[in-house]
Amino acid sequence: MMNQDMSIASLVLNASWVVQLVMLLLLCVSVASWAAIFRKLFALKRVKELNEEFERDFWSGNSLNDLYASATQNAKNAGPMERIFASGMREYQKLRERRISDPGTLLDGARRAMRASFQRELDVIESSLSFLGSVASVSPYVGLFGTVWGIMHAFTGFAGMEQVTLATVAPGIAEALVATALGLFAAIPAVIAYNRFARDIDRVAIHQETFIEEFSNILQRNLGGHPGSPSGH
């Protein structure tokens, strides 16, 4: 027993089938978690770049009508902020086509449309975040289940032995503890990524909410000074 192979591969291969199943599940979850982390990392980077690009165009002095035309043509490749802007302008123009001239009605309609678009965009940005949260919270318990089962299985094997030493107990317990290690291996990156992405998404959301308020103020000024279609800011 003292010469028994205690490598990780040997411990995994010698574990009970339940523990091996738990290890396989945790390994698959870990791979899926890392895939979600990298997808979200690149997606958030893309969102920030598109928002910054549109914001530069928005504050460059171009007319709102020109920005709206560009956003309509570039709808497939537009960023969240540009789509929010386009939804507000679209609702504004629809209300104008109905010959509604009340500034309050026009402004409220545009703001509601932007809020609805903002919520849709936020739901898209937050996708996969709940998966990472579930991995972070559940994986340690799944690993603990595998460990408890493995220890139970190991001790039942010692029932018929007259003398139990550390050399006979250690391999069985070590096999079971690998499940806990895999659970932590899956959970720790998911926790770190979840907290990082949640913070980044909050910043993006605040940035977009600020834009909605700024654009609403611009519409309000244009409506107060020029009852027709907004042309500049």
Side-chain angles (χ1 to χ4, degrees), residues 43-172:
L44 283 176
K45 182 180 179 181
R46 179 65 174 165
V47 165
K48 292 176 184 177
E49 290 175 350
L50 290 173
N51 282 351
E52 290 174 358
E53 181 181 351
F54 171 73
E55 202 167 21
R56 284 195 299 269
D57 293 339
F58 182 82
W59 294 111
S60 64
N62 295 328
S63 71
L64 297 179
N65 290 329
D66 290 342
L67 288 171
Y68 176 61
S70 175
T72 303
Q73 294 175 356
N74 193 41
K76 292 183 179 180
N77 299 320
M81 189 177 291
E82 189 171 3
R83 286 192 288 266
I84 291 171
F85 163 79
S87 65
M89 284 294 295
R90 187 181 305 111
E91 183 64 20
Y92 175 88
Q93 291 190 355
K94 285 182 179 179
L95 293 175
R96 291 293 300 174
E97 290 173 358
R98 297 176 185 174
R99 301 188 181 279
I100 296 175
S101 58
D102 178 58
T105 302
L106 293 171
L107 187 60
D108 288 343
R111 184 181 283 115
R112 284 196 300 270
M114 287 190 290
R115 282 289 174 186
S117 178
F118 165 76
Q119 192 57 56
R120 288 193 298 269
E121 297 296 337
L122 192 60
D123 290 341
V124 173
I125 295 174
E126 289 179 341
S127 63
S128 300
L129 202 61
S130 59
F131 171 72
L132 292 177
S134 299
V135 171
S137 59
V138 174
S139 293
Y141 295 103
V142 175
L144 183 61
F145 167 76
T147 296
V148 171
W149 185 277
I151 291 175
M152 290 171 54
H153 181 266
F155 274 98
T156 55
F158 304 144
M161 294 185 180
E162 296 181 358
Q163 183 179 5
V164 178
T165 64
L166 181 60
T168 58
V169 174

Side-chain angles (χ1 to χ4, degrees), residues 152-206:
M152 290 171 54
H153 181 266
F155 274 98
T156 55
F158 304 144
M161 294 185 180
E162 296 181 358
Q163 183 179 5
V164 178
T165 64
L166 181 60
T168 58
V169 174
I173 296 178
E175 293 167 6
L177 289 175
V178 174
T180 297
L182 282 176
L184 295 175
F185 178 77
I188 291 174
V191 170
I192 296 173
Y194 179 88
N195 292 332
R196 163 70 184 278
F197 293 149
R199 184 172 64 253
D200 290 346
I201 290 172
D202 284 342
R203 290 176 181 174
V204 171
I206 292 171

Side-chain angles (χ1 to χ4, degrees), residues 1-17 19-20 23 170-179:
M1 295 296 295
M2 295 299 294
N3 296 326
Q4 184 169 345
D5 186 5
M6 296 289 287
S7 65
I8 298 297
S10 177
L11 293 175
V12 171
L13 293 175
N14 292 326
S16 66
W17 69 270
V19 178
Q20 288 179 340
M23 292 178 183
I173 296 178
E175 293 167 6
L177 289 175
V178 174

